Amino acid sequence: MHTLVKLDDLSPEEARLTPRRARNVLTEPVPKYELPAKGMDADLAYQIIHDELLLDGSARLNLATFVTTWMEPQAEKLMTECFAKNMIDKDEYPQTAEIEHRCINMVSRLFHAPDEGAGVSTIGSSEAVMLAGLALKWQWRKRMKTQNKASDQPNMIMGSNVQVVWEKFCRYWDVNPGICRWSTDGT
């Protein structure tokens, strides 16, 4: 969780950005934690943020993530062309909704979903996991009630190498995690 920075606790240097490349053309300091009194040239604003982001690691070199770090330029171009769309507004963007429907069918068949399989679009994989986990929990609860069994304490068994979002799912949605830890001798 991000907290509000107390500006009174900061020195003037801590309260403003001091970009290396753009500082020669800045006419006024750029506040770091509040909106400036005046706007700035869009190219200059871009350059300041662009330069700051250079301090991040390279996504293409991050082998610890499950996120795709490279894609064809055409896919990136299509994504860029859709940034301004509110993807949840299916009435305003019916062709986008149709393409989404086709993608859900493709992925469902890829994973051998039953005929009544369903899907939704999400912004990110963590959101997708949360929705899938909730669907799994609801199906489990329904199955337990049908069998006249307790349905208030679901559990999920996972390996110790599970992606952290599954641990978050268990914490947020009251699912007891069972973590299988493996020894180096394979037991």
Side-chain angles (χ1 to χ4, degrees), residues 130-146:
M130 294 292 172
L131 290 172
L134 275 177
L136 181 66
K137 180 179 177 180
W138 293 338
Q139 288 296 322
W140 173 85
R141 185 186 308 149
K142 182 178 171 184
R143 191 171 56 251
M144 293 297 105
K145 286 183 179 181
T146 302

Side-chain angles (χ1 to χ4, degrees), residues 27-78:
T27 57
E28 296 182 29
V30 179
K32 193 184 287 188
Y33 298 107
E34 59 185 340
L35 291 173
K38 296 180 189 174
M40 75 170 55
D41 177 71
D43 288 331
L44 180 58
Y46 167 82
Q47 193 63 55
I48 290 170
I49 299 300
H50 175 80
D51 289 351
E52 268 197 287
L53 291 174
L54 289 173
L55 298 172
D56 280 348
S58 169
R60 290 188 68 182
L61 300 176
N62 184 358
L63 300 179
T65 183
F66 60 94
V67 178
T68 300
T69 56
W70 184 88
M71 69 179 87
E72 286 79 4
Q74 297 87 343
E76 192 169 329
K77 184 177 178 185
L78 283 171

